Amino acid sequence: MPPTRFVQPRSMSVRPRHNDEIALPARWRVAHDAGTIAVMARCALCTLPANQGYLCDAHRKAILSPGLTSEQISSRRSDGAAALVDPWGNAWPIGDPTVIGRSLGECDLTLLHSSISLQHAAIERDGDGWRITDKGSRNGTFVDSARVESARLADGARLRLGEVALFFVDRQLSRAEQPSGPGRTAPSRRDQLIFTAALRAANGARIELSQRVEGGIVRVAGAAVDLGRLEFRLLQVLTEARRESADPDHAYLSWSRVADQLDFRSYEADSENVRELVRRVRRKLQQAGIEELIESKHGVGYRISAAYEAQESP
């Protein structure tokens, strides 16, 4: 008889307490096959194996949202007593209360999608459970396909805010890892410079771009804007197009050319993904007083408005 071995998925650990006793988290399933014990994470909503984050394939497909990529979801919460799970199986913490919407500065959970209102809905405690309340959104809040103004949430409820669908889980789940962005507390490989360039705006202001392995920084007149990986990559792609075009009118890139050069975490990235990314970067730049750095022309595309000055790679 072949020896028994243990197969351990992802970063989860299985440590024997005695020779024949194994302590397993509740969401794991044990399968026996030809002398092998395979320990697999369960879907947060059923007993099937989770093959993407916290979701099985069936539940993942049930909340696929058109025009949405994982980079368009972010949260400023680090933990919570409940969670929302997105189509990539990422868990986003829910606390009391949690405001959900498109505004980065006003919402706890931000969904950067055109169908989402600035402050779309809020989830808060209701006795021993949870309640979602629509905040006057344009495209509505739905719980299990029914449009609601306010409704109690059951564990496993399917929520839809505008065109974005999520599952509600009435227990704590580990926070999703951000795909990119700032927040580093110690020097590391991520702090190594990859690309730098300078632009000269029409008003004479010098705009400096400094990319790092993840994200980058835009500086102008002593102000600095920290951008995530995809956000800075957008500026880099448009800056390179401006550098390579002798005529500024030829520096426009169509949304499809931009999308081809960006590492969207979706095979269905479209013009709306690019448009939302441009809006997000514009909002961040405006906080530093950088107006209209990214120009758009209907039916043509996007370009950098400032003149290219220099670029160097270490």
Side-chain angles (χ1 to χ4, degrees), residues 94-147:
I94 296 298
D96 182 23
T98 293
V99 177
I100 307 169
R102 204 176 73 246
S103 173
L104 286 165
E106 300 175 327
C107 298
D108 303 295
L109 180 60
T110 305
L111 307 174
L112 295 172
H113 191 274
S114 59
S115 69
I116 302 295
S117 298
L118 290 176
Q119 289 193 31
H120 197 106
I123 297 177
E124 56 191 343
R125 276 289 188 185
D126 183 14
D128 60 353
W130 297 86
R131 176 174 293 273
I132 189 168
T133 302
D134 186 85
K135 295 177 71 67
S137 68
R138 181 179 71 253
N139 294 311
T141 298
F142 299 78
V143 177
D144 293 330
S145 300
R147 185 164 184 166

Side-chain angles (χ1 to χ4, degrees), residues 35 37-38 41-42 47-48 62 73 86 108 111 125 136 180 190 196 234 237 247 253 284 291 304:
I37 300 178
R42 287 178 177 173
T47 59
L48 293 176
I73 307 176
D86 67 24
D108 303 295
L111 307 174
R125 276 289 188 185
S180 63
R190 297 180 182 182
T196 63
L234 171 68
V237 167
D247 185 345
L253 293 181
K284 288 190 174 184
E291 301 286 345
I304 289 290

Side-chain angles (χ1 to χ4, degrees), residues 34-191:
T36 297
I37 300 178
V39 184
M40 296 171 287
R42 287 178 177 173
C43 173
L45 301 165
C46 68
T47 59
L48 293 176
N51 51 21
Q52 184 154 5
Y54 281 98
L55 295 181
C56 64
D57 191 57
H59 279 106
R60 181 185 64 82
K61 291 178 179 178
I63 57 171
L64 288 177
S65 303
L68 182 72
T69 62
S70 62
E71 290 88 354
Q72 292 170 251
I73 307 176
S74 63
S75 174
R76 58 188 182 190
R77 287 189 176 277
S78 58
D79 55 37
L84 292 177
V85 182
D86 67 24
W88 294 270
N90 299 317
W92 302 98
I94 296 298
D96 182 23
T98 293
V99 177
I100 307 169
R102 204 176 73 246
S103 173
L104 286 165
E106 300 175 327
C107 298
D108 303 295
L109 180 60
T110 305
L111 307 174
L112 295 172
H113 191 274
S114 59
S115 69
I116 302 295
S117 298
L118 290 176
Q119 289 193 31
H120 197 106
I123 297 177
E124 56 191 343
R125 276 289 188 185
D126 183 14
D128 60 353
W130 297 86
R131 176 174 293 273
I132 189 168
T133 302
D134 186 85
K135 295 177 71 67
S137 68
R138 181 179 71 253
N139 294 311
T141 298
F142 299 78
V143 177
D144 293 330
S145 300
R147 185 164 184 166
V148 301
E149 296 298 323
S150 182
R152 291 264 296 185
L153 293 177
D155 185 33
R158 181 182 184 275
L159 309 185
R160 181 165 63 82
L161 285 69
E163 297 176 5
V164 178
L166 304 155
F167 280 117
F168 173 76
V169 177
D170 191 5
R171 63 183 182 279
Q172 187 176 31
L173 297 177
S174 298
R175 163 76 186 263
E177 290 187 8
Q178 295 284 14
S180 63
R184 302 176 292 277
T185 58
S188 69
R189 179 173 172 270
R190 297 180 182 182
D191 290 317

Side-chain angles (χ1 to χ4, degrees), residues 257-273:
R257 288 185 64 191
V258 173
D260 286 344
Q261 298 184 66
L262 298 181
D263 184 24
F264 281 108
R265 298 175 187 270
S266 169
Y267 292 107
E268 301 174 354
D270 57 17
S271 61
E272 190 59 37
N273 298 137

